[in-house]
Amino acid sequence: MAHINTSTLRRLQSLPQISSVWEGDRRSMSLQPGMVIEEGELEASGECIIWVDGSQGMVRAMDMVPVDISAEAIVRTLLRAMEHPQSPTPAARPQKIVVKDRELQFFLRGVLQDLDITIEYVPDLPLIDEIFRGLQEVAQNRPPQLPPQYESILNQKAYDLWEDRIWEELGDHQMISMEINQFDVETLYISTLGKLGMDYGILMYRSLDSLKQFRERIVHCRNESTKNLEDAFLTQDCLFVTFEQAEESDYDEEDINLADLPLSEIEPSFGSLHPLEGIRSILYEEEATVVFVALEALHRFWRDHQDQLIDDDFPAIEHRYRIALPQTESASKKKQLVSTKVATEPEISEELYAITAEDEGEDEGELEVSSPAVIRSDLIPPNSLLSLGVLPWDTADYLQHHVLFHHAAETGTVQAGEGLPVIVIQTSKPKAKILIQELQDAGGLTGICFNPGEDPMAGQNYELGILKTKNGSLHLFGEFNADDSNHQSARKKWNQRCQQTQGCCGLVVAMGLTGASRGQPQLKDMMALLEGRSLSPDDLGLGKMKLMSFFV
């Protein structure tokens, strides 16, 4: 039987104990075929682990897990219910826990024996029964992702799009318009995803204004917070088809690009974005009809004009098509045809490209450091979340054997103190893979340094967080206000922990920037652990750096 490690036990024992009775259980959650779960809700069929405060009548933690997962998962969810409850209630330990499974009762008694919690068996859990009845009703009443009469044919049209690989030739700024003038849609403006080898699919904007406004907002938010980027993302007015790795895929999703997978390992996803409705992974009948017309017309247009579009220029081309709609129960027996004009939009494409190019030009050399050393600032993905923390030693040991990439320190690691001091960089999964590859290409990590600096014009002191890689390169990972009390506290802890480990520290690269673990990456989100040394400014020989502005 696994036991709670000593540091975690002390942390849990320090929580206030409240006179509440918590109920806990795991139940199967079967969904009907074709049903979908929106982001932020239960994510898949399987078993649901739930812990509720019976005295307060609130859910403290809930997880969806595979059916065959071990009982340890129930404890993981329970510990989160204590320390990080999802309800607006403080962290706490319950006085009593009740379960309806004898084996689970005995298991929890062994694991939680040092936490002064009474574990009892009861034959029924009425509060949890009521919650699960509600969840099942929601699942059963949810509409399918696609109307049943469109499911097969839309998936086939999406696979045709995947095999066309239009994104290998067209950039996301090269627009193709499609006049439909039916189903409350006048013209769609189609942009491809996939040129960078990350996300694949097409966006079908329902208005040109929405497209332009989104691109402009993205440019303005590029160096701002991720929250601003998320707000910009949700202002789009478009339908979309994207591609994901099939859930039952035999390939390791951490190690492969979607473009390298066979068609059988790919599955399409459909949905809609609207400023007032947000993101929706369901298409209703009229929307499904529009997407069908767009996919079929785009497939024909690419088939007819691919040779003209694979050159570097983007010529003006237009072609009219008549698309026969699939027969449905609501349609008449007479075949319905939709006439559409598909055209490239060179002028719009140039305008969109100019927006991005202008921003990139402004970014070049906006600030330089008055130091003879070259410090690169292109390693860390924009809008990544940065934090200074510590990995308990058992967690560090686990990551050494389970992450996508582990780089050990040349001099070994001294396991002293509460754990390994680390810098955590959390970004999206595709960007995390690129960052890891660049760190591998650089030979791994040598050390981490916080170097003092000042901005003479603003009269502000700051610290530059710098990574030194094996090939001798210096990379900026963050700029911190040296006078900020939160940063001062974090830096004090960093120094203390590095002293305890005799200078050993590390870098963690994690995914999950926009998911439930945003800001608090879990073990499953951590993709790389690189170990190195804590370096002083004298080790790098940079001295106190100054930011010098210049204009281009």
Side-chain angles (χ1 to χ4, degrees), residues 178-196:
M178 190 175 295
E179 292 183 8
I180 294 180
N181 298 319
Q182 290 192 52
F183 317 110
D184 298 322
V185 172
E186 295 179 359
T187 302
L188 293 177
Y189 295 88
I190 298 178
S191 171
T192 63
L193 300 171
K195 190 75 171 178
L196 298 178

Side-chain angles (χ1 to χ4, degrees), residues 121-247:
Y121 165 84
V122 294
D124 297 299
L125 299 172
L127 180 57
I128 287 184
D129 290 342
E130 182 181 347
I131 291 172
F132 274 103
R133 276 195 298 270
L135 291 174
Q136 291 285 13
E137 287 175 5
V138 169
Q140 291 168 4
N141 294 327
R142 187 182 300 280
Q145 184 183 34
L146 297 172
Q149 65 270 30
Y150 274 97
E151 183 176 5
S152 176
I153 194 166
L154 266 186
N155 277 295
Q156 183 55 56
K157 295 305 174 185
Y159 285 125
D160 291 342
L161 173 67
W162 176 261
E163 293 188 318
D164 287 338
R165 305 290 178 113
I166 298 175
W167 42 77
E168 293 184 358
E169 305 297 339
L170 300 184
D172 62 359
H173 66 285
Q174 293 176 302
M175 292 295 130
I176 295 176
S177 66
M178 190 175 295
E179 292 183 8
I180 294 180
N181 298 319
Q182 290 192 52
F183 317 110
D184 298 322
V185 172
E186 295 179 359
T187 302
L188 293 177
Y189 295 88
I190 298 178
S191 171
T192 63
L193 300 171
K195 190 75 171 178
L196 298 178
M198 296 181 185
D199 300 311
Y200 295 91
I202 61 170
L203 304 176
M204 295 162 274
Y205 288 91
R206 287 174 279 217
S207 77
L208 186 57
D209 287 342
S210 170
L211 168 60
K212 290 182 177 179
Q213 290 171 8
F214 170 65
R215 293 303 179 92
E216 289 170 352
R217 287 197 64 178
I218 282 294
V219 166
H220 294 151
C221 293
R222 182 166 293 170
N223 296 316
E224 298 179 10
S225 69
T226 302
K227 180 65 168 63
N228 289 340
L229 284 172
E230 292 173 355
D231 289 343
F233 174 78
L234 293 173
T235 62
Q236 297 176 93
D237 182 9
C238 67
L239 300 163
F240 62 83
V241 180
T242 56
F243 295 91
E244 302 169 352
Q245 186 174 351
E247 289 185 3

Side-chain angles (χ1 to χ4, degrees), residues 405-512:
F405 175 58
H406 170 242
H407 176 261
E410 290 185 354
T411 57
T413 301
V414 177
Q415 292 200 4
E418 59 184 315
L420 180 69
V422 291
I423 304 296
V424 180
I425 299 174
Q426 188 178 27
T427 183
S428 66
K429 182 177 179 180
K431 291 180 180 179
K433 288 183 177 180
I434 294 173
L435 171 57
I436 292 168
Q437 185 60 56
E438 292 178 345
L439 288 168
Q440 285 180 293
D441 294 342
L445 181 71
T446 298
I448 299 173
C449 176
F450 289 91
N451 202 90
E454 64 176 346
D455 183 348
M457 298 186 67
Q460 180 176 322
N461 294 316
Y462 61 92
E463 280 191 319
L464 292 183
I466 298 172
L467 304 177
K468 184 176 182 181
T469 50
K470 179 69 174 178
N471 62 2
S473 298
L474 303 180
H475 301 271
L476 181 71
F477 70 81
E479 298 179 24
F480 307 93
N481 184 344
D483 301 321
D484 179 77
S485 59
N486 290 331
H487 176 66
Q488 290 175 349
S489 175
R491 282 282 286 114
K492 182 178 180 180
K493 291 181 179 178
W494 172 268
N495 289 338
Q496 291 172 345
R497 290 164 177 161
C498 287
Q499 288 176 359
Q500 291 173 334
T501 62
Q502 299 179 29
C504 299
C505 61
L507 171 70
V508 171
V509 179
M511 63 180 184

Side-chain angles (χ1 to χ4, degrees), residues 19 77 97 170 199 285 346 366 374 406 438-439 451 539-540:
S19 57
T77 307
I97 284 173
L170 300 184
D199 300 311
E285 185 166 342
E366 193 169 292
V374 176
H406 170 242
E438 292 178 345
L439 288 168
N451 202 90
D539 293 328
L540 297 185

